[in-house]
Amino acid sequence: MRKRLVLAVVGTALLVSSFKAWGFDGDPVRSDRAVFHVTTFATGLEHPWGAAFLPDGRLLVTERPGRMRVVDRDGRVSAPLGGVPPTELGGWEGGLLDVAPAPDFAATREIYFCHTTLVPSGALTRLARARLSSDATALEGATPILDVAPAQKGHRSHFGCRIVFGPRDGKVYLSTGDGLTDPRRAQRLDDLAGKVLRLERDGRPAAGNPFLNHPGARPEIWSYGHRNPQGLAFNPWTGSLWEAELGPRGGDEVNVIRAGGNYGWPLVTHGLDLDGSIISDLRSAPGMEDPLKVWTPVISPSGIAFYDGDVFPGWRGSLFLAALTMPGLVRLSLDGDRVTGEERLLPNEVRMRHVIQGLDGRLYILTDETEGRILRLR
């Protein structure tokens, strides 16, 4: 008992020391372009995955085991919302994943979310929409609007699942993973796995999609050849859609997504298979889009966010990536749609699942932990 107590005290001391080393309620952190503190904004979340600010400044957050909560402006976390559909956890990546309020949420109270679910043929990613009740305690009328078919059989992983709304066209953009067991699905146009999809608000293929009149192709597809894209965001200065995806053993990528573009996986890759075997000798190929940035060794990027706030003027114009494997926060400096530099922030401390900019111009980070937190950079 005494040994366990000593280990617990030592572990806590190391944790506190580590936190203070990168400004956790302690000394400021000085980065290349900013000085900041890291504080705990909210606690008590089990593997938080997706988050989005509501117009009133409250934060809507998902937990991978299947719960959705509202975090008040002071960091108080609500009880789980009612009306959330059952979620199939399965594997280490399935569950309740991303969430996004509709652009007209203030009038409609409509939100979109994705989760994994079981169907007779296996497990799949499902996109759904619902209304947040007026008292923000429940989802009302949750309705599936798209299943990422066909379903995965056996192993359940690589679900992708990030949701963004086009700032200019109002369409729904959804990233989907390749399902892991058969990477070739990412190249198949009759399969929704390993893609970025572009949808109308009711889940129908969006007008103007590149494969609307392509025989044998799913008309929802906007781009294909992706492995496991968990980052999706629009560049507010150029209007382009950026995507981050986890590579295998090496080969994490950041891409600018173009309509109809083939991003290569698994025919072109900078990584090896997880067992060290060669997936492809090609790093580039005619007719396939090259990534803007590649990481080997991997950082395992998940959520991404462009920073256009005023709190950190030196970071304005940057892209931030929440990294799981390094772990930490990665900042890319940009020139339009080009990456010009990289900075590692808060390295080797905690797995980071998502990063978002608050209405107050600060950055908020979801930690991928059983006792998950929301950290705030101020």
Side-chain angles (χ1 to χ4, degrees), residues 318-337:
S318 299
L319 177 70
F320 286 87
L321 302 92
L324 295 160
T325 296
M326 181 180 48
L329 188 66
V330 176
R331 183 183 71 85
L332 298 181
S333 54
L334 311 176
D335 179 8
D337 282 336

Side-chain angles (χ1 to χ4, degrees), residues 289-325:
E289 304 285 342
D290 292 329
L292 293 182
K293 175 77 176 175
V294 176
W295 285 272
T296 300
V298 299
I299 62 168
S300 300
S302 188
I304 65 175
F306 288 93
Y307 186 77
D308 62 357
D310 297 322
V311 172
F312 303 106
W315 285 350
R316 188 173 174 85
S318 299
L319 177 70
F320 286 87
L321 302 92
L324 295 160
T325 296

Side-chain angles (χ1 to χ4, degrees), residues 143-172:
T143 305
I145 60 172
L146 180 77
D147 282 352
V148 178
Q152 299 181 20
K153 297 181 175 66
H155 193 87
R156 297 170 189 167
S157 191
H158 287 200
F159 292 99
C161 205
R162 196 64 70 183
I163 306 166
V164 294
F165 284 87
R168 298 177 180 176
D169 61 12
K171 308 303 183 185
V172 181

